[in-house]
Amino acid sequence: MFLEEADKIIQFISAFLLILFSMIILLQKRGKRMPRFFLSAFFISRALIIIFFASYFYPGLIYRYPDLYVMGVPVLFLYAPFLFLYTRSVTTDKQGIRWYDGFHFLPFILVLGYFLIYFHFYPGSTKTSILLGDELFNPFLVDGTLLWIQFFVYAIAITYLLVEYRIKLKLYNSTYSHDMYHWLVFLVGAFLLWKAIFVSGYLFGVLKEDYASVFRIFIELAFLFYASMIVYKGLKIPHVVLSLEEDPYKSSALTADDRQVMLSRLRTVMINEKSYLDPQLTLTRLARLCDIPSHHLSQILNIDLKQNFYTYTNNHRIEEAKMLLSDPEKKDHTILEILYEVGFNSKSVFNTAFKKNTGMTPTDYRKKMQAQDAA
């Protein structure tokens, strides 16, 4: 009895912390709105799951509020998509929601529709009978199969985003970007670790043993620690957690004349010497070639050219690729050969950057140029 009461208290404290912190995030007026929305939605969905499933500790509620017993099941399909959308919004250029993002919520809609048809529209007595007889749960939709498929797919997708972001960090000289990466590693990594421990309890039958209550307490304490650390980090690095992204150059001593001199050096190195052709080029290496401190180079790229190093370098490579693709003497060169020649080392990155710059694929661009020459 004591362990059950402690379990309930711990769960409600965790839910309270997540909801309170979510409200703080949503009430912020500065910074990027969509990342804050996705992060809050992730926290709130986790809190609602805790609250709904904590009702299982009160068997009497099944007769008074049978709907409460199943409301948490559709919500289980929300937290992973919201965590993915948040990670994507702070690691890529995709800040908002696209029409195709609606597919992320198909499992939620599917399960919610299932309950509306086979449970929520029934009379109260029928709902109670269904729950007591355990006749409701479709083994695929509700009993875990679809949920675990969704969870593992999103775990892989989020990990991929973090790996890609980690690669990009080598090109940036931004404290904010590195702080964001460490925050994401904790947010995602600690949650996945907690989830792995939780799942292991089911896989190895721990929750069916005599010490199941002790294991549940351990699980809830671990999640309470996770929720507490979320709040702690929100207070410690609010500009990152709240997506405020403060201006890193507000205290810079560079004058406008200083920046123009440095811009001239940068253009000489990039345009005349074509340093962008080096596939190993980094911000630090480029700064050394320009004889400019790397933090100053980062400043003039962001302030004067409105680009980061990654975009600035790739734009030069794309312009070079466009010339090669339209050169009749290079018509026998493959797309792969050209992308390596201009400094890219990934076909997918090249194709994405090229289409973003020109609105068409490298192959389509070459065909268009060849058609114009023929005409």
Side-chain angles (χ1 to χ4, degrees), residues 165-183:
Y165 190 57
R166 181 71 182 88
I167 294 172
K168 292 179 182 179
L169 286 182
K170 298 177 181 179
L171 307 174
Y172 301 149
N173 187 36
S174 167
T175 301
Y176 177 84
S177 297
H178 285 270
D179 287 345
M180 175 60 76
Y181 174 74
H182 293 304
W183 155 247

Side-chain angles (χ1 to χ4, degrees), residues 49 112 122 200 264:
I49 291 169
L112 180 62
Y122 284 4
S200 67
S264 178

